[in-house]
Amino acid sequence: MDGKEKIILGIDPGTNVMGYGLIKVVGNKASMVAMGVVDLRKMSDPYLRLGHIFERVTGIIEAYLPDEMAVEAPFFGKNIQSMLKLGRAQGVAIAAAIHHDIPIHEYAPLKIKMAITGNGSASKEQVAGMLQRLLNIDNEEMPKYMDATDALGAAYCHFMQMGTPTSDRHYKGWKDFIAKNNQRVKG
């Protein structure tokens, strides 16, 4: 990688609390720009929550102008309703990035944990602690909710993968998404 600056937005999708984290990459060095959460728990209407996710992700994109977005893929659990809700939240965040022509990269939780800690079954606390060390984050800057460090982890995982073409999926816009997911798109 050259010395050009790049901002990576990480998103940890959620329907109650959505995490976001941004890192700045210059050459082979990364530093934290910001991280936080979008708290959706006071909103009872699930569709208004999705609208709020779109508005907040759009606001974050317009404020920080990221070059790329890394999003954590929903974890495949046993609760199908939870998966559907998470998938919707992730889709809305992805739509906000596509709307701004930002390339998207999706990473499985196991891959993110492995990239940061070397252990695919690491706890959220271990991931947060490693990110704190890797990015020199003060204790006062560490968030209350792990969703923020999970999102920062997605961004950092993408930074780690940038030198190698091993990211799971990436899209350059709606046409690219449709071309790479033709079997999922009905005309």
Side-chain angles (χ1 to χ4, degrees):
M1 229 190 116
D2 57 21
K4 192 179 140 211
E5 182 178 296
K6 182 181 276 198
I7 303 287
I8 302 170
L9 167 62
I11 295 286
D12 177 33
T15 54
N16 289 322
V17 178
M18 182 195 82
Y20 66 90
L22 294 114
I23 62 171
K24 177 170 69 173
V25 176
V26 179
N28 63 356
K29 299 232 185 290
S31 59
M32 184 189 72
V33 174
M35 70 174 148
V37 295
V38 177
D39 191 342
L40 304 156
R41 292 174 298 178
K42 290 189 175 139
M43 302 178 88
S44 58
D45 186 307
Y47 302 108
L48 291 178
R49 284 183 182 200
L50 294 174
H52 192 64
I53 290 169
F54 186 86
E55 288 170 6
R56 285 299 308 274
V57 173
T58 295
I60 292 164
I61 288 169
E62 290 171 355
Y64 294 100
L65 305 172
D67 299 288
E68 299 188 40
M69 183 171 96
V71 64
E72 184 173 312
F75 175 74
F76 295 99
K78 291 182 178 158
N79 187 329
I80 293 169
Q81 285 302 315
S82 293
M83 280 297 300
L84 285 170
K85 289 175 185 173
L86 269 179
R88 288 175 178 166
Q90 182 197 40
V92 168
I94 288 171
I98 289 172
H99 183 72
H100 289 84
D101 295 318
I102 296 170
I104 299 129
H105 306 271
E106 184 177 18
Y107 296 97
L110 180 104
K111 186 163 193 157
I112 294 170
K113 291 174 182 180
M114 190 65 120
I116 293 164
T117 68
N119 176 3
S121 60
S123 69
K124 289 178 175 286
E125 291 79 12
Q126 288 171 314
V127 170
M130 187 59 84
L131 286 168
Q132 186 176 12
R133 286 189 288 284
L134 290 168
L135 297 169
N136 299 314
I137 303 169
D138 292 334
N139 283 335
E140 301 79 45
E141 290 181 279
M142 290 302 286
K144 178 179 169 186
Y145 296 103
M146 296 284 171
D147 306 82
T149 50
D150 284 354
L152 196 63
Y156 196 84
C157 175
H158 182 61
F159 160 65
M160 300 286 289
Q161 302 297 316
M162 284 186 339
T164 58
T166 57
S167 57
D168 295 350
R169 296 183 204 140
H170 44 279
Y171 310 109
K172 293 188 175 94
W174 285 115
K175 288 180 185 171
D176 187 37
F177 176 84
I178 291 167
K180 290 179 179 175
N181 292 279
N182 211 7
Q183 74 284 2
R184 293 168 53 192
V185 180
K186 298 195 180 184

